[in-house]
Amino acid sequence: MSFEQVKYDVCVANRILAEVGLATGVLASLGHSSQRVPDAPDRFIVKGRGYAIDALAAMKPEQMIVCDLEGNKIEGPPNSTQCFEVKMHSSIYKMYPKINSVTHVHPRFAVVMSILQAPLSAMCQEGAEFISKPIPVYPHVKTIQTEEEGVEVATLIDGGPVLLLEGHGATTTGSTLEESVMRMMWLEEQARMNWYAYCAAGPNHRSIPAESLAEMTNRTPLPELPHFVESMQGHRPSMGGVWAHYSNVVSQGI
Ligand SMILES: [Zn+2]
């Protein structure tokens, strides 16, 4: 995969964050997705800053910045910079070679729940497994700017899928751009449902019971069910409908 292809894909991911409401309104220029370059694992590509329209929804592939694992800008347009929290990305890539994508935004419901110190629990299917383990919380509202802060965040996330930054935002990881962005969407969906429940029934509201969640795993694969054997023969149904849809939508404007 060429650097140009990764720049295009990272641009699409950043635009999707805006399209799904994770970087809109007063948050329109806040947040960034990145991807490690598959053929050059000591390089990653992240959204840049310093453009006339500095909003995720308006990003162009050529405005993505190539960085090394120290967070230095290696390549990008004149007068552009890496995203200001680049150390969050570089520190995670440096510490965890298997992580290939990092997404950070300031999602409203996840942020308010972090300040309430209300641990998220599974309230709907989407992201239920992902939310079933306690999420680490970085107990500072400041942006991640220094080497020390980047290392603190990378250490706290511990190679896992998600970290909350109290009163600030959230960071998700993945083996692909799709995974880190979808995890952010799931996190915010669960946080929104937790907020609804918190408002309706208080901090001790019910959530999906563990035994009910357990029923979602280790199931007979769909293609092995008698009524699907023929229609799914030789292929697995596509499961990435959300990502494919929003990729298509945001690509129209690039
Ligand atoms: Zn931030």
Side-chain angles (χ1 to χ4, degrees), residues 32 85 88 104-106 143 168:
H32 19 83
E85 295 187 289
M88 190 189 296
H104 170 71
V105 286
H106 299 177
T143 48
H168 169 186

Side-chain angles (χ1 to χ4, degrees), residues 62-254:
E62 59 271 23
Q63 295 175 325
M64 302 298 106
I65 309 290
V66 180
C67 296
D68 66 16
L69 296 189
E70 301 302 325
N72 297 309
K73 175 184 172 185
I74 300 299
E75 188 238 300
N79 303 320
S80 67
T81 74
Q82 321 85 311
C83 66
F84 300 156
E85 295 187 289
V86 69
K87 279 290 186 182
M88 190 189 296
H89 298 256
S90 63
S91 301
I92 289 174
Y93 288 130
K94 197 173 168 184
M95 206 174 283
Y96 308 106
K98 288 186 178 166
I99 291 178
N100 292 320
S101 180
V102 175
T103 290
H104 170 71
V105 286
H106 299 177
R108 295 175 174 93
F109 288 95
V111 167
V112 76
M113 295 304 280
S114 77
I115 301 168
L116 292 173
Q117 297 189 319
L120 300 181
S121 53
M123 292 299 294
C124 58
Q125 262 197 1
E126 295 69 35
E129 287 176 63
F130 164 68
I131 212 83
S132 61
K133 295 188 188 111
I135 298 174
V137 181
Y138 184 69
H140 307 279
V141 72
K142 62 182 176 179
T143 48
I144 305 306
Q145 295 174 187
T146 68
E147 168 72 15
E148 291 71 28
E149 290 160 351
V151 170
E152 276 177 4
V153 160
T155 303
L156 199 54
I157 203 168
D158 196 25
V162 59
L163 171 77
L164 286 171
L165 299 103
E166 187 176 297
H168 169 186
T171 299
T172 52
T173 65
S175 55
T176 62
L177 270 170
E178 176 177 350
E179 190 168 53
S180 74
V181 171
M182 286 305 301
R183 282 174 167 172
M184 187 62 77
M185 290 172 64
W186 289 333
L187 172 75
E188 182 64 344
E189 187 72 11
Q190 290 286 346
R192 179 200 293 262
M193 298 293 273
N194 273 260
W195 166 251
Y196 291 157
Y198 193 102
C199 292
N204 299 317
H205 64 79
R206 187 171 181 264
S207 48
I208 299 174
E211 56 271 25
S212 184
L213 287 175
E215 290 173 356
M216 292 172 65
T217 55
N218 297 322
R219 310 195 68 190
T220 304
L222 286 179
E224 293 176 22
L225 295 175
H227 55 296
F228 284 129
V229 166
E230 195 175 327
S231 63
M232 293 188 184
Q233 199 168 29
H235 70 94
R236 297 289 297 233
S238 170
M239 303 296 281
V242 174
W243 178 258
H245 167 64
Y246 284 109
S247 294
N248 183 48
V249 170
V250 303
S251 294
Q252 315 290 327
I254 294 180

